[in-house]
Amino acid sequence: MVKYLGPKEEVPYQPKAILAIIDEVPLLSPAHLIFWEWIAEYYFCSIGEVMHAALPAGLKLMSETKVMLKESFQGEFENLTELEYLIAEALTIQHQLSLQDIRDILQRKTIYPIINSLISKGILFVEEELKKKYKPKKLDFIYLKPPFDQDLNLAFELTEKSEKQTDALLALHQLISQKGKASKADWYRAGNIDTGIKNALIKKEIIEVLPETVSRIQTKEATLKELPVLNVEQENALVSIKNGFGKGKPVLLNGVTGSGKTRLYIELANETLREGKQVLFLLPEIALTTHLINRLSKVFGKKIIVFHSRLNNSERVEVWNAAAQGQPILLGARSSLLLPFNNLGLIIVDEEHDRSYKQDDPAPRYNARDAAIMLAVKMKANIILGSATPSFESLYNVELGKYGLAVLKQRVNNQPLPKINLVDLKEARKKQLIHEEFSSHLLERIQENLNQGRQIILFQNRRGFSPFLKCRICGWHAICVHCDVSQTYHKYFNKLVCHYCNYQIVPPTHCPDCGSDALNLYGFGTEKIEEVLRQVFTTAKIARMDFDTVRTQKGYQTIIEDFEAKRIDILVGTQMVTKGLDFDSVGLVAVLNADMIINFPDFRAHERAYQLMTQVAGRAGRKNDQGEVIIQTVRPDHAVIRDVLLQNFRSFYQREIKEREQYLYPPFYRLILIIVKHKKPKVCHFAAEQIANALKAHFRNRVKGPTEPVISKIRNQYIRHVMIKLEKDARLMASIKYYIKINIDRIRKEEGMSTVRFNVNVDPY
Ligand code: ADP
Ligand code: ZN
Ligand code: ZN
């Protein structure tokens, strides 16, 4: 904790003089600073790292080095080398030079030896200047000076002789009465006005030009005035929510897709605004939720601003300032949590179960949903967590009575939930009812939906064409040279690509090990699915939505628009298709391979698989009639699949949570993962062993490892994991963090170990 000293307290060090005051008003309120400290403390990082994540680049100070001549220098150029002479001479003309100026003058990169030599000869000195990068955007506005602002006719008397000036004044008057004020640019455009006319009017003291700061942030006008009236179930949920808020509890809103969660968020936000307080609306990913954002913009208009990753540095500063100055609603992904709200009344965490709320790298490795709970406590704000498939942590907190609960079981207008059907892939293969990755049943259903004019979404959790290129003779397969990862074949680029470091090569025609040409592709990604579809459904309009198409072919937005306008019949995609799409005529949704999702080596694999499949299924049949979902799997009897089929999240939760307790996993235990990285495998392993052993001495079998993770090398760094499972006990947590810290410091001081990286990830899931 930072200690704040009172004005008269003794300090245990020699204070330095204040050179300049950079911010007239603090950038941050004390409450926010306390929140930052909590993040640093809980997520095991420095407060500087939190600051770095929070502050927009435009507000971070940049120090710039300036070089100047000493006053004693009187033009004694004799003893200087040629390069030194160039600088000294430039300085006699220009008062000061930046390092970049000097590089330009000397036409070379290495300039420090020359500067040092000039300093030692007593000719130069160097000064650091602090600079802020952000500059407010200024526009010139034109005003009528009194008394002309009251009576324009007085002005016309002065411009009698010039028709142009009179016209210009008329144009100005019109602009001001329309918009309240007139920018110079608007005025110039409105009439046929130029600098000459402007200057003449200034000279006659009829108008004046005043520069004013204007906002760079784009907002939209509210266009939606009427909201649908809440139905009975929504009214009841609202009562439960307020009930929870009244007790000072966070509330979990568990509502199936299309049940009106967003409608309730709007209701709560409106109430908060009426109290004059701010709303923070958190979403897992901004790019994938344009739909929702547009809907909210229509309701809230200029009251809402969106903090998204495409903002430039200056816009970020303005969002920051807007938050500090009471902007009613801010909507953003996880980092908007770090904005300096001055009067926060409500936090909405939509899709609270989403993994994107967790930041893995760099520090702070925080989970925005969990940190939002803390922010709400510190700011005395209400907080609502919404999801169709809540995280186990949140459900468990409801069980413990820490969170309130509101439930929406029905889709608006009682639209039925989609019907889910399974296809047993093993059976289909045995009976040869399969074409590539498609069972005959799925192909039939696709055809039928096409015939009916309904749209189809196909989900495959892997991009590219094929994840493996293997040699049938010797077993060689294509692995990234920098990572311990198989390279994925991308047919469109004709490249083997590493999805971890993006290293790419042209696929070999012969096996690099045995020279045979028996190279085969195994497995399938979205690109291959698309290709097969095009072969089978030759007349259908097919599109793909994954990282590759969104980045290189059509933007996300275009694909969505095309789909909405029915320019696409079948959309194939990765997770991107599971989020925020709200389409009216999707008849069929299919998961091509559920097993890949379920068999993920992670204690949350089942939870995530359930969530993912439910989210995908939720895209089907949102309006009009019942949608259809097909899940292909080799294990139709798998417990998770069974639960998805029943669409009963509660029973799924009840069963799974027992296993969590039995195997000491969250939400019963806390996890801290220490990720050790080094470019030499031996050093990496040794460092991991050292930290594991040191911790085991105190914390015994709570410490597991070191282990080699599934992907044990990324970007030439070898990786080892040390996992800590801890009872939920704040003192134990504090003490283990202390031991982690001192041991990391100790190990890194040992010979050859200073380059080992230890990333400590608290709640790494
Ligand atoms: P969710 O966020 O749970 O998916 P939404 O709030 O988006 O649900 O609601 C789904 C659709 O139903 C939206 O188009 C919404 O405008 C509409 N809707 C929500 N509540 C009502 C209501 N009470 N009456 C009529 N339509 C509603
Ligand atoms: Zn081979
Ligand atoms: Zn790689």
Side-chain angles (χ1 to χ4, degrees), residues 289-564:
T289 36
T290 38
H291 220 96
L292 176 64
I293 294 172
N294 287 340
R295 189 166 145 205
L296 293 172
S297 297
K298 280 182 193 152
V299 176
F300 294 110
K302 292 190 177 308
K303 289 190 194 128
I304 194 165
I305 58 181
V306 181
F307 189 44
H308 56 75
S309 58
R310 291 190 312 276
L311 296 180
N312 65 30
N313 284 335
S314 297
E315 289 166 332
R316 278 159 198 271
V317 172
E318 292 187 6
V319 174
W320 176 276
N321 290 338
Q325 288 154 14
Q327 175 70 34
I329 310 184
L330 281 137
L331 182 148
R334 58 175 183 249
S335 65
S336 49
L337 187 77
L338 301 167
L339 289 169
F341 305 93
N342 74 347
N343 188 15
L344 192 59
L346 173 68
I347 306 177
I348 297 162
V349 186
D350 193 25
E351 308 290 356
E352 64 92 30
H353 63 275
D354 200 293
R355 180 65 174 70
S356 322
Y357 280 124
K358 171 76 181 178
Q359 167 150 320
D360 286 314
D361 265 314
R365 300 182 169 84
Y366 64 111
N367 182 310
R369 184 236 334 190
D370 299 340
I373 302 274
M374 189 48 76
L375 180 66
V377 171
K378 305 249 185 249
M379 303 273 160
K380 300 193 172 54
N382 292 324
I383 178 163
I384 182 159
L385 312 177
S387 175
T389 51
S391 65
F392 281 19
E393 298 94 271
S394 297
L395 285 170
Y396 184 62
N397 277 322
V398 170
E399 270 182 30
L400 293 181
K402 285 190 186 169
Y403 290 3
L405 176 68
V407 183
L408 294 171
K409 286 202 172 106
Q410 266 153 37
R411 287 181 156 187
V412 174
N413 302 334
N414 290 322
Q415 295 148 8
L417 285 170
K419 204 165 104 224
I420 305 183
N421 291 313
L422 291 185
V423 169
D424 184 340
L425 280 176
K426 249 197 256 162
E427 276 290 309
R429 282 208 185 100
K430 226 188 279 168
K431 296 184 183 154
Q432 301 201 327
L433 292 172
I434 199 148
H435 172 68
E436 297 283 355
E437 320 306 334
F438 292 81
S439 61
S440 310
H441 178 66
L442 178 54
L443 290 175
E444 277 161 27
R445 294 311 305 154
I446 292 176
Q447 187 61 59
E448 174 63 18
N449 275 278
L450 286 174
N451 294 347
Q452 304 276 334
R454 298 199 191 110
Q455 288 173 297
I456 296 142
I457 296 178
L458 299 179
F459 171 76
Q460 169 61 15
N461 205 9
R462 191 169 244 164
R463 64 189 172 95
F465 193 84
S466 276
F468 302 103
L469 177 70
K470 270 188 204 159
C471 169
R472 281 202 312 276
I473 309 296
C474 74
W476 170 90
H477 77 279
I479 296 177
C480 175
V481 293
H482 306 294
C483 310
D484 170 28
V485 178
S486 163
Q487 280 184 297
T488 301
Y489 177 59
H490 286 247
K491 197 167 186 174
Y492 180 81
F493 307 107
N494 190 32
K495 289 270 169 61
L496 287 168
V497 180
C498 169
H499 286 178
Y500 282 79
C501 74
N502 204 31
Y503 175 73
Q504 308 186 353
I505 53 167
V506 176
T509 50
H510 289 78
C511 172
D513 273 7
C514 74
S516 91
D517 62 357
L519 294 178
N520 274 32
L521 290 166
Y522 293 91
F524 61 101
T526 45
E527 206 185 356
K528 180 161 181 200
I529 301 291
E530 185 193 5
E531 187 180 274
V532 175
L533 282 172
R534 285 188 195 286
Q535 289 158 359
V536 179
F537 303 101
T538 43
T539 56
K541 289 165 279 176
I542 299 164
R544 170 160 58 97
M545 182 156 78
D546 57 26
F547 183 69
D548 300 309
T549 58
V550 164
R551 193 188 32 162
T552 59
Q553 300 171 18
K554 285 181 162 192
Y556 176 79
Q557 199 55 35
T558 336
I559 300 177
I560 299 275
E561 279 161 18
D562 285 353
F563 196 83
E564 268 173 23

